[in-house]
Amino acid sequence: EYCLAPPCGWQTPAIMQHDLDGKLLFTHCCHGKQQITNGVPIQCSPHCDLAVRGSKHRQRFLQPEVDLTKSRQVLEIQCRQRASEYRLPNNTSLCRVLGRHVLYVPTDDLSVASYMCMDGYWESWVTLFIARLVKPDWKCVDVGANCGYYTALLSQLTSEVIAIEANRELVDLLRRSHDLNSWKNVRIIDRAVGESEGFIGLQKFLGRAGNSVVVPGSDIHQSSLDGIFPDHAPVDFIKIDADCSEQAIWNGMHKLRMRESIHIVMEVRAA
């Protein structure tokens, strides 16, 4: 639950867990503060549209988790039933995806975040493919993590996830989501991925945070996947989605591609 006016007086939204009688069990604010209340009743702010007070809201939050073993249609229905969005200042929203993860996303993004806020999922066909492929003991890499949808999915499927993102604004949101969801098995790397080691610039587009493209520059550190993961480093699965950089990333992972056990899901945009 996200409350605009938590009883402790914090100025940021607070996550609140209730028992079935509506009593507050604990609160956890977005900046990491905690307060144990041991069942003290709560009076939510009347402006809190996500408060679990009425039977309709409570029924939505108490539903079982999204079933990733069913059909695409079932996944989409279940995610939409559990989808919710809470708008924060500074062009940021909180949205619930896959029925369980709460992500910080840019409010004005028209490429990915708007769909996650409305539907609670992104690319359902890819979501199900990854969910059925990845094994619990795999080491997974999310290249072009954006605001963390596939990072969130992988975090519930396997034991170790490395999320790599070049856009520093998205990295900041991703780190906040990491802390909010307590992803113990996720590590974030603030870096661009390409064919070789060096530095690049990033051209960003208004309303499309995830569609930035590489340009000449020296602002952002770039590495190849072979450089990040040397021969002895185990990697089982890599998801790649980096607009117009796929060929360079592919060229920079020659050694990884030669491994018999590697699994790769990559979006390719024709030039």
Side-chain angles (χ1 to χ4, degrees):
E1 173 189 341
Y2 309 96
C3 187
L4 289 170
C8 58
W10 297 331
Q11 298 302 308
T12 57
I15 298 177
M16 302 180 180
Q17 179 175 324
H18 297 75
D19 62 16
L20 294 180
D21 295 324
K23 293 182 179 180
L24 180 66
L25 299 181
F26 75 90
T27 62
H28 179 93
C29 84
C30 295
H31 290 166
K33 300 178 183 177
Q34 296 189 30
Q35 177 178 352
I36 306 300
T37 60
N38 296 323
V40 176
I42 176 178
Q43 181 63 44
C44 283
S45 163
H47 302 294
C48 180
D49 60 347
L50 297 180
V52 188
R53 306 306 296 175
S55 58
K56 179 180 179 181
H57 291 295
R58 180 174 297 174
Q59 182 180 8
R60 178 177 64 173
F61 276 77
L62 294 179
Q63 291 182 48
E65 291 188 1
V66 169
D67 191 341
L68 295 173
T69 67
K70 302 294 185 181
S71 68
R72 174 180 170 184
Q73 182 181 20
V74 170
L75 170 70
E76 293 175 356
I77 291 173
Q78 290 182 342
C79 287
R80 288 191 181 107
Q81 288 174 339
R82 294 158 177 79
S84 56
E85 178 192 9
Y86 176 79
R87 296 213 169 189
L88 300 170
N90 301 320
N91 188 39
T92 306
S93 290
L94 281 169
C95 72
R96 183 183 298 276
V97 298
L98 298 170
R100 61 185 292 182
H101 305 281
V102 181
L103 303 183
Y104 286 92
V105 299
T107 303
D108 66 351
D109 180 62
L110 302 176
S111 56
V112 177
S114 56
Y115 293 96
M116 293 197 303
C117 290
M118 291 296 295
D119 297 329
Y121 68 87
W122 172 248
E123 296 177 334
S124 57
W125 56 97
V126 181
T127 298
L128 288 177
F129 176 81
I130 292 176
R132 294 166 183 173
L133 173 69
V134 171
K135 303 296 188 293
D137 60 343
W138 280 9
K139 180 174 182 177
C140 300
V141 182
D142 184 3
V143 178
N146 202 301
C147 46
Y149 175 79
Y150 286 111
T151 300
L153 172 65
L154 292 168
S155 74
Q156 72 181 79
L157 297 175
T158 190
S159 58
E160 186 176 1
V161 182
I162 298 176
I164 307 176
E165 175 56 48
N167 187 323
R168 287 169 180 162
E169 287 80 7
L170 292 178
V171 170
D172 177 64
L173 296 177
L174 187 57
R175 285 176 173 155
R176 293 167 68 184
S177 297
H178 174 279
D179 295 341
L180 182 61
N181 291 277
S182 298
W183 290 331
K184 304 298 184 183
N185 60 338
V186 175
R187 180 161 64 95
I188 299 169
I189 297 179
D190 179 3
R191 193 176 303 178
V193 179
E195 188 169 353
S196 60
E197 193 80 14
F199 289 88
I200 54 97
L202 204 63
Q203 182 179 355
K204 304 171 186 177
F205 301 97
L206 183 64
R208 295 191 173 273
N211 296 130
S212 303
V213 296
V214 172
V215 295
S218 58
D219 296 334
I220 298 173
H221 184 195
Q222 175 182 274
S223 298
S224 67
L225 285 177
D226 282 343
I228 298 174
F229 303 101
D231 294 340
H232 63 275
V235 177
D236 300 288
F237 173 83
I238 305 176
K239 175 239 112 186
I240 302 172
D241 185 354
D243 280 14
C244 303
S245 296
E246 295 89 355
Q247 186 64 58
I249 294 172
W250 186 259
N251 294 341
M253 57 181 295
H254 176 75
K255 294 181 180 179
L256 277 174
R257 287 190 280 115
M258 294 300 103
R259 300 186 188 184
E260 294 183 359
S261 60
I262 198 78
H263 300 78
I264 302 171
V265 172
M266 181 171 71
E267 178 185 89
V268 178
R269 177 168 295 189

